Structure formats: structure tokens, C-alpha cells
Amino acid sequence: MPDSDCLGDVDPITGECGGGGTGGAGGYNYPNPPDTDEDLCEILKNKNLSFDYKEK
């Protein structure tokens, strides 16, 4: 990973990123968002037309 992609400090010995939640030891490995062809704006627009959805 290039230094410019690091969110934390770069270890001068190993050149690896530290901190920033990039996964590995002490971090959280965020999952990739699901691949979808659906337009989320259109889904929400359609849901907003539903009376039951508006009531929630």
C-alpha cells in the first residue's frame, strides 16, 4: 500500500500503515459494500410512495 493511501502513521522500518482502522492488528476490517445494479435513490422514492412505509 503506498504511503499516500495510509490513514495512520507509516512504520519507518516495515513501511506498513499503522492505525487508521485499516484492518489487521487492533483495527476493524470493514466489509466491501455489496455490488448492486439497483439505483438506491429509486428504491427509496418507490418506498416513500407506500403509505405503510410513511407510517413507520
Side-chain angles (χ1 to χ4, degrees), residues 23-39:
Y28 181 78
N29 190 13
Y30 290 96
N32 290 330
D35 291 333
T36 180
D37 291 335
E38 298 176 88
D39 182 5

Side-chain angles (χ1 to χ4, degrees), residues 9-25:
D9 297 326
V10 177
D11 185 332
I13 297 171
T14 63
E16 293 182 7
C17 295
T22 58

Side-chain angles (χ1 to χ4, degrees), residues 15-56:
E16 293 182 7
C17 295
T22 58
Y28 181 78
N29 190 13
Y30 290 96
N32 290 330
D35 291 333
T36 180
D37 291 335
E38 298 176 88
D39 182 5
L40 298 180
C41 290
E42 286 298 319
I43 292 170
L44 290 176
K45 285 179 188 176
N46 290 334
K47 283 187 175 186
N48 198 32
L49 296 174
S50 167
F51 179 77
D52 292 336
Y53 183 79
K54 286 183 180 181
E55 288 295 309
K56 289 181 182 178

